[in-house]
Amino acid sequence: MVAVENLVKDYGDLRAVDGVSFQVKKGDILGFLGPNGAGKSTTMKMITGFLSPTSGTASVDGFDVRKNPLEAKSRVGYLPESSPAYPEMTVVEFLSYVAETRGFRSKDEVHNRLSDVIVKCHLQSVQSQSIETLSKGYRQRVGVAQAILHDPPVLILDEPTDGLDPNQKHEVRKLIKAMSEDKAIVLSTHILEEVEAICNRIIVIDQGKVRVDEMPEEFKARKPGSSIDEIFREITSSKAYA
Ligand code: ADP
């Protein structure tokens, strides 16, 4: 579903992503981990076609993001780091706008898509409210709703539970897990508990390179009882680290 091969991104003299390769298949929830500035968001933006790679390839459902950008983009749902939404629009107005930009034309189609995501993301009680009046938790759910509106086979979620309270985190994780059966999902997170709760595989990147590709249990067993940052330190200080 997602194939990333030798992906590189330079910002001027800085190589933010340095030869990253991995694949994600249907049913996978890949936890994309790493310290701040590791290159996670930049990699995700290249998969979604938001940023163009300096070299290397990324493809979505067989479509190269550079050669077939429209086909690739139509198969991805993307929740950026700080979920952007037009603050003055109501939830329904914003999601209708997203539906139109995603190519849904008939009123019935738009209505059906909106009803589906409003229920899935538990937005019924705030659907007529303007986005600027929503709590962070609800705003994040609007972000998830816009990402899944066209029912894409691939979801790229940049810190989907960031800033949410424990209940909201639980709800969003439940939603992600429920959707994973027929999708390939990549999510970045700083939360070890989240990795354990929903990911079936993890990749750690640091300084733009993949350092670890393993199961969550193996990752946790590297330093039992430690925080995610302590495990990163353990990995980066090991001899195998080049
Ligand atoms: P992460 O998501 O893992 O925190 P990022 O992908 O955001 O990391 O950033 C990787 C590196 O690229 C960092 O050193 C960051 O400062 C740099 N970077 C990110 N975006 C830009 C940009 N638009 N211009 C220049 N440097 C950037």
Side-chain angles (χ1 to χ4, degrees):
M1 274 291 181
V2 180
V4 170
E5 192 138 351
N6 226 351
L7 209 55
V8 171
K9 180 70 188 180
D10 292 337
Y11 293 115
D13 289 341
L14 175 78
R15 181 147 290 189
V17 175
D18 189 4
V20 165
S21 302
F22 61 86
Q23 298 198 343
V24 192
K25 53 184 198 311
K26 191 162 100 169
D28 273 350
I29 303 182
L30 173 73
F32 202 44
L33 316 180
N36 279 330
K40 302 181 294 294
S41 296
T42 303
T43 303
M44 291 175 132
K45 283 179 188 161
M46 289 191 278
I47 301 171
T48 57
F50 219 77
L51 269 182
S52 148
T54 303
S55 64
T57 56
S59 66
V60 173
D61 207 9
F63 292 97
D64 188 302
V65 295
R66 273 201 285 197
K67 293 185 192 136
N68 304 102
L70 293 179
E71 287 85 351
K73 275 185 192 168
S74 71
R75 287 163 174 80
V76 185
Y78 176 39
L79 176 72
E81 205 173 355
S82 46
S83 109
Y86 297 92
E88 69 286 359
M89 282 188 184
T90 67
V91 172
V92 165
E93 282 166 353
F94 174 64
L95 293 176
S96 305
Y97 163 77
V98 173
E100 278 165 36
T101 61
R102 284 288 183 188
F104 295 100
R105 291 285 172 255
S106 81
K107 269 194 173 163
D108 278 354
E109 244 181 350
V110 172
H111 176 78
N112 289 341
R113 293 315 308 148
L114 256 65
S115 305
D116 183 45
V117 296
I118 284 173
V119 170
K120 274 194 182 134
C121 298
H122 303 289
L123 289 167
Q124 296 95 321
S125 61
V126 297
Q127 59 181 327
S128 306
Q129 249 175 268
S130 67
I131 289 167
E132 62 199 346
T133 65
L134 299 180
S135 67
K136 169 96 184 156
Y138 274 115
R139 261 188 233 195
Q140 194 72 348
R141 281 192 240 175
V142 174
V144 174
Q146 65 76 29
I148 64 173
L149 195 126
H150 54 303
D151 196 20
V154 171
L155 280 180
I156 308 289
L157 309 171
D158 204 345
E159 308 222 0
T161 64
D162 187 40
L164 305 187
D165 69 33
N167 273 336
Q168 295 164 337
K169 277 185 167 53
H170 178 71
E171 282 294 317
V172 171
R173 285 176 196 154
K174 219 166 67 179
L175 173 65
I176 294 170
K177 194 143 194 193
M179 291 187 302
S180 68
E181 210 168 289
D182 62 348
K183 294 189 195 301
I185 300 178
V186 178
L187 66 89
S188 70
T189 178
H190 278 107
I191 311 168
L192 192 54
E193 184 198 336
E194 189 154 293
V195 172
E196 289 183 277
I198 55 174
C199 299
N200 60 355
R201 194 177 134 209
I202 64 134
I203 280 182
V204 176
I205 71 165
D206 184 39
Q207 295 174 5
K209 288 191 161 87
V210 174
R211 307 295 181 175
V212 164
D213 183 346
E214 65 192 8
M215 310 295 277
E217 307 82 62
E218 293 172 80
F219 178 73
K220 213 182 152 203
R222 283 172 176 270
K223 209 162 190 264
S226 308
S227 72
I228 208 159
D229 288 322
E230 284 167 336
I231 302 178
F232 290 152
R233 277 198 286 279
E234 179 84 0
I235 292 168
T236 54
S237 65
S238 77
K239 280 193 181 140
Y241 189 86

